[in-house]
Amino acid sequence: MLDQNFIINTDRLRKSKELKVKVNFKASSDFLKLEETEVNFGETVEVQGEVYIVDDQLIIHFDVYATVVSACSVCNGSAQAEIRIKSLYHAEDLNEVKGPYFDFGAVLREEIILEVPRFIECNQGKCPERELIKPYLVEN
């Protein structure tokens, strides 16, 4: 079943090329499910921005906020990091959009997953166990 938050009515935008549709919602992070069990997301993903048409391109311009939970890279405990994507732009060729609607859920999912940090450290990057491993770290 499609999440209505991710649906853009392209017919409405095609009729009025000057129209900019504001987008502002919080959606369940269920659409971000990964096969890896080590990475989880917070309950919601927040999206703010606008959608409009330029020439034959559907332009999506968003700010995206999400939370990712994974193992701390130092102590292996639970660690949380914020994902903030400022000014995400995506252009979709209108000739490729089949039907009157475009579902941007897959585009959004890909962009968020690409922003997941490779290493997350608990306590906002100040893991208490860092001092224990400090003698074994090589400083550049």
Side-chain angles (χ1 to χ4, degrees), residues 6 26-34 36-46 64-70 78-84 112-113 116-117 120:
F6 303 132
K26 288 185 182 181
S28 170
S29 64
D30 291 343
F31 78 103
L32 294 170
K33 294 287 187 207
L34 298 174
E36 296 85 17
T37 57
E38 301 86 32
V39 177
N40 295 301
F41 290 91
E43 291 183 22
T44 61
V45 173
E46 185 176 344
V64 182
Y65 308 95
T67 303
V68 63
V69 180
S70 186
S78 181
Q80 179 175 310
E82 287 186 0
I83 295 175
R84 293 185 178 275
I112 292 171
I113 290 172
V116 172
I120 299 175

Side-chain angles (χ1 to χ4, degrees), residues 54-65:
V54 174
D55 295 327
D56 287 336
Q57 300 287 311
L58 176 68
I59 306 297
I60 298 171
H61 175 212
F62 292 152
D63 290 336
V64 182
Y65 308 95

Side-chain angles (χ1 to χ4, degrees), residues 106-119:
V107 171
L108 187 60
R109 179 183 184 275
E110 182 178 343
E111 293 294 334
I112 292 171
I113 290 172
L114 287 171
E115 291 296 320
V116 172
R118 291 182 67 194
F119 303 103

Side-chain angles (χ1 to χ4, degrees), residues 10-37:
T10 57
D11 277 355
R12 185 173 153 211
L13 289 169
R14 288 177 209 229
K15 289 176 185 169
S16 174
K17 300 269 183 175
E18 303 299 314
L19 181 65
K20 288 188 177 187
V21 175
K22 296 287 184 192
V23 176
N24 188 358
F25 66 88
K26 288 185 182 181
S28 170
S29 64
D30 291 343
F31 78 103
L32 294 170
K33 294 287 187 207
L34 298 174
E35 292 179 18
E36 296 85 17
T37 57

Side-chain angles (χ1 to χ4, degrees), residues 3 5-6 12 18 22 43 47 53 56 62 64 70 73 77 80-81 83 85 93 101 120 131-133 139-140:
D3 187 331
N5 286 318
F6 303 132
R12 185 173 153 211
E18 303 299 314
K22 296 287 184 192
E43 291 183 22
V47 179
I53 290 179
D56 287 336
F62 292 152
V64 182
S70 186
S73 58
Q80 179 175 310
I83 295 175
I85 304 172
D93 189 343
Y101 302 103
I120 299 175
E131 287 300 316
L132 297 173
I133 65 167
E139 302 232 0
N140 292 331

